[in-house]
Amino acid sequence: MTAQRQRPPEVLLQVSDLHVAYGKAEVVHGLSMQVRAGEFVVVLGRNGAGKSTVMHAISGLVPKRSGTVTFAGQDLSAASPRETVLAGIVQVLEGHRVFQTLSVEDNLLIGTYARAPRGDRSKLDRVYALFPELAERRQQMASRLSGGQQQILAVAQGVIGDPKLLILDEPSGGLAPIVIDRILDVASQLCASGLAILLVEQLVEKALRHAHYGYLVETGRIAAEDFSGALGEGDLLQRVFLGGHAHHGEEATA
Ligand SMILES: Nc1ncnc2c1ncn2[C@@H]1O[C@H](COP(=O)(O)OP(=O)(O)OP(=O)(O)O)[C@@H](O)[C@H]1O
Ligand SMILES: [Mg+2]
């Protein structure tokens, strides 16, 4: 994907001067970032940099020490997870867990609880069209899906809630490159249809290929940000990730 010259004008998500602490230990130190309407934004950074913490703070899953989050003009700085979902932010958690003892379809129906009227099959049909591998297995118990299929089900569970912003926290976790490509392709497709994407990923090359814009997080701060093409140039990312994660160097094995 070629880099755009300008970010879209409309700011969808604005995180400003965010501080987050676990107990007394502050792990996010005044971080600011944006997702603009229609954008696919990636957040890169080493293990422990604070990426998931920032996503959880956006979703209301961890309290903010200070700072603000606004979304589509709404102040979500003190919002609960339910309020952020209702505002249109859906986060697929790291690890992509699904309900093992429920069928594929029941897992999907759970994903609609907050935002869809009961008995509305149109959302199911839309998601099955997007993920034919799930349509084929709709009555199968989730525990009998492969790891990759479960990961795809978790993404589908996020999509069916019809968010305005979909947050994907390391969809690659432990998966074969072909499954990651599938998830990132679907994310790009969703983005092209108007959904904004905020992706946390350590597979730098793959992520930058799909994203429009990227942020690099180092120890709870934004160390760099740029259009994805520019962010991948030079040796900055290599320096940051050098020896940092086994996933790096993915292209050799993909
Ligand atoms: N529930 C928690 N309680 C205490 N400390 C935590 C908790 N969750 C995360 N941390 C700490 O906060 C820091 C940031 O963690 P976080 O999970 O946000 O990093 P990350 O960038 O998502 O890492 P990874 O790439 O490994 O998922 C780390 O030092 C971590 O040990
Ligand atoms: Mg994380």
Side-chain angles (χ1 to χ4, degrees):
M1 183 167 296
T2 51
Q4 301 167 329
R5 290 226 173 74
Q6 277 191 316
R7 298 183 78 179
E10 187 194 335
V11 177
L12 188 61
L13 175 76
Q14 173 74 54
V15 178
S16 301
D17 199 20
L18 176 69
H19 291 255
V20 184
Y22 294 107
K24 286 187 183 149
E26 187 174 282
V27 299
V28 177
H29 317 284
L31 178 145
S32 300
M33 61 180 294
Q34 293 180 337
V35 178
R36 302 204 177 194
E39 268 189 330
F40 189 141
V41 172
V42 64
V43 175
L44 305 168
R46 295 176 70 152
N47 292 117
K51 307 179 297 297
S52 296
T53 300
V54 172
M55 300 307 128
H56 292 163
I58 293 168
S59 302
L61 292 166
V62 300
K64 300 159 199 66
R65 180 177 262 185
S66 62
T68 58
V69 173
T70 59
F71 182 72
Q74 203 178 335
D75 184 359
L76 295 182
S77 306
S80 67
R82 184 179 165 80
E83 287 165 338
T84 63
V85 170
L86 289 171
I89 300 177
V90 169
Q91 180 174 3
V92 180
L93 295 174
E94 203 171 357
H96 286 51
R97 284 177 296 274
V98 295
F99 295 100
Q100 296 291 316
T101 58
L102 296 183
S103 68
V104 166
E105 184 143 313
D106 285 345
N107 265 287
L108 290 173
L109 287 171
I110 279 176
T112 67
Y113 79 98
R115 287 174 58 83
R118 246 171 235 173
D120 178 1
R121 285 203 60 93
S122 64
K123 285 176 192 294
L124 265 181
D125 293 340
R126 200 170 65 93
V127 167
Y128 283 143
L130 211 49
F131 300 95
E133 61 270 68
L134 299 179
E136 289 163 19
R137 299 176 174 84
R138 59 182 82 192
Q139 298 309 335
Q140 193 167 317
M141 192 117 82
S143 62
R144 299 188 57 195
L145 299 176
S146 73
Q149 289 163 347
Q150 290 190 30
Q151 210 105 333
I152 286 170
L153 177 58
V155 174
Q157 213 176 41
V159 171
I160 201 169
D162 203 16
K164 296 189 187 111
L165 173 69
L166 181 66
I167 301 179
L168 300 173
D169 193 348
E170 292 207 45
S172 67
L175 288 181
I178 191 166
V179 182
I180 303 146
D181 289 338
R182 171 93 183 97
I183 290 174
L184 294 182
D185 281 345
V186 170
S188 285
Q189 202 181 324
L190 289 166
C191 188
S193 72
L195 176 59
I197 304 284
L198 181 54
L199 167 75
V200 173
E201 216 8 287
Q202 296 204 38
L203 296 180
V204 175
E205 291 86 354
K206 280 188 194 299
L208 288 176
R209 210 178 301 138
H210 284 82
H212 302 123
Y213 199 82
Y215 291 89
L216 173 65
V217 178
E218 281 190 280
T219 55
R221 294 183 175 84
I222 300 295
E225 63 171 277
D226 211 331
F227 293 100
S228 52
L231 198 60
E233 283 169 10
D235 66 351
L236 174 70
L237 294 180
Q238 261 188 322
R239 192 165 49 73
V240 168
F241 282 94
L242 196 66
H245 198 272
H247 278 159
H248 200 62
E250 80 215 50
E251 306 306 340
T253 54

